[in-house]
Amino acid sequence: MELLQLQYFRTVARLEHMTKAAEEIRIAQPALSQTIARLEADLGVPLFDRNGRHIKLNGYGKAFLKKIEPALALIEEGRAEVADLAGLEGGRVFLSTTTHKCFTDVIGSFISRHPKARLQITQASTLDKIKQLRSGDIDFCITFPPLQEEGIEGIPFLTENINIAVPLAHRLADRSNIDLSELADDPFICIHAQNPFRQMTDAFCEQAGFAPNVVCEVDELSGVIHFLRTGIGVAFLPETLFEGQEMGFRLIRIENPDCRRTYQIAWLKDRYLSVAARTFRDYVVDYFQEQPKQYKI
């Protein structure tokens, strides 16, 4: 049994698709199939149920995966620790985050100060971020609300207001702050219902005593902004998204209920973090402590 077989098996088990796994690993699909077949021969049992071109991890495969994932994570941590001791790390940091503007700023600032750093950044749902942390695929994730998961540690580093955006001709456009209940009868432009931002803003509305009348639902905040400018409704938007931009609508602070979100940088407890990873984590936390007022309450 070879280490490469185990690494390939983990990828195929995650994707449950031989061709996609081969593309991700960057080897020929027949070679990958042969590697998995040799591993199954070594174990004496099939690890996947096969139905034509479709594969699905079976009970043997699930049991085997549960045992090898922590073993592979320990091997990868050992490699990183030895590389650190030998001064060969080269500054690799694996991060799962969001496209939020201020995170782009801090990442750009970090790279400018540490030009030898190599950041690999992915985007994922909160559930997938937790899986990536536990499997050792990433060093950190940035998420809101802060994770409350056994074995995962984190540091909150940014709390921002969530404001309401209204068209320039809206009846409340000249107000600097409002109670959210004043918009109970207004049409809302929202992110799709599965998005954590939408789930958070629906909870704000519930606290204010109403369910939003959603007239337009989109996948990205850029779509929300586009429809805001047409004047068809109001929308929730984070305050730090528009620093220095010409908006074409008004942002109004919500006094009641308390509409804020807190971001956290999280990592797997007891996982070895390289010098580069620890430097990045500390830089992110310090960056937002030192930033001007627009990143604070």
Side-chain angles (χ1 to χ4, degrees):
M1 190 178 299
E2 301 173 0
L3 177 60
L4 201 60
Q5 289 177 319
L6 302 181
Q7 292 171 331
Y8 286 2
F9 165 69
R10 180 175 60 177
T11 301
V12 176
R14 172 166 53 85
L15 297 175
E16 292 189 323
H17 196 288
M18 200 68 73
T19 301
K20 290 180 180 178
E23 290 172 353
E24 182 172 310
I25 299 169
R26 297 184 180 180
I27 67 168
Q29 187 267 323
L32 178 59
S33 297
Q34 291 170 11
T35 299
I36 298 301
R38 286 197 303 270
L39 176 61
E40 291 176 318
D42 286 344
L43 293 170
V45 294
L47 300 173
F48 298 91
D49 291 331
R50 293 166 172 83
N51 182 12
R53 299 180 64 182
H54 300 285
I55 63 171
K56 187 172 182 61
L57 197 65
N58 62 24
Y60 297 124
K62 290 176 182 177
F64 188 58
L65 180 64
K66 186 177 180 180
K67 295 298 182 182
I68 69 158
E69 280 195 317
L72 289 173
L74 286 172
I75 291 171
E76 289 161 6
E77 288 177 18
R79 282 178 172 171
E81 188 167 356
V82 169
D84 269 351
L85 293 171
L88 302 174
E89 173 55 30
R92 291 196 306 168
V93 181
F94 296 89
L95 175 70
S96 185
T97 184
T98 173
T99 56
H100 195 293
K101 171 186 176 294
C102 54
F103 303 146
T104 305
D105 292 345
V106 68
I107 290 168
S109 176
F110 176 80
I111 291 175
S112 69
R113 295 198 180 197
H114 302 275
K116 293 184 180 180
R118 291 183 290 158
L119 270 65
Q120 183 169 323
I121 303 169
T122 60
Q123 297 176 356
S125 67
T126 298
L127 182 60
D128 285 339
K129 288 176 183 177
I130 294 170
K131 291 180 179 178
Q132 289 171 340
L133 283 177
R134 295 199 186 281
S135 67
D137 291 337
I138 58 175
D139 296 308
F140 303 109
C141 69
I142 291 175
T143 186
F144 80 91
L147 297 177
Q148 303 293 331
E149 291 282 328
E150 183 178 356
I152 294 177
E153 296 183 333
I155 301 175
F157 64 87
L158 169 67
T159 298
E160 67 174 349
N161 292 310
I162 304 301
N163 293 335
I164 201 73
V166 303
L168 295 176
H170 192 272
R171 69 185 188 282
L172 302 177
D174 61 346
R175 297 269 295 276
S176 59
N177 53 72
I178 62 168
D179 280 2
L180 185 56
S181 60
E182 296 180 67
L183 296 172
D185 296 325
D186 278 71
F188 275 77
I189 306 161
C190 293
I191 294 286
H192 65 80
Q194 288 72 42
N195 187 285
F197 186 84
R198 169 67 180 280
Q199 293 165 3
M200 176 186 66
T201 58
D202 280 356
F204 292 158
C205 292
E206 184 177 358
Q207 291 176 55
F210 69 95
N213 172 26
V214 180
V215 297
C216 184
E217 192 173 79
V218 297
D219 290 332
E220 301 286 345
L221 282 177
S222 58
V224 171
I225 293 165
H226 171 78
F227 286 108
L228 262 171
R229 289 172 175 154
T230 69
I232 66 170
V234 302
F236 290 99
L237 291 176
E239 66 175 345
T240 58
L241 192 61
F242 299 99
E243 296 299 329
Q245 293 188 29
E246 183 65 33
M247 296 184 294
F249 49 83
R250 284 291 311 278
L251 283 178
I252 304 173
R253 184 159 182 166
I254 302 168
E255 282 200 338
N256 184 50
D258 182 9
C259 295
R260 294 181 293 178
R261 67 173 169 183
T262 296
Y263 281 94
Q264 175 197 59
I265 183 167
W267 61 94
L268 190 64
K269 183 180 179 181
D270 298 328
R271 169 182 165 85
Y272 177 78
L273 294 174
S274 69
V275 171
R278 297 195 301 271
T279 301
F280 176 78
R281 176 189 61 193
D282 295 344
Y283 187 87
V284 169
V285 175
D286 292 344
Y287 179 91
F288 286 101
Q289 289 178 347
E290 296 170 1
Q291 283 305 293
K293 191 174 180 181
Q294 68 259 28
Y295 286 134
K296 300 183 183 295
I297 296 301

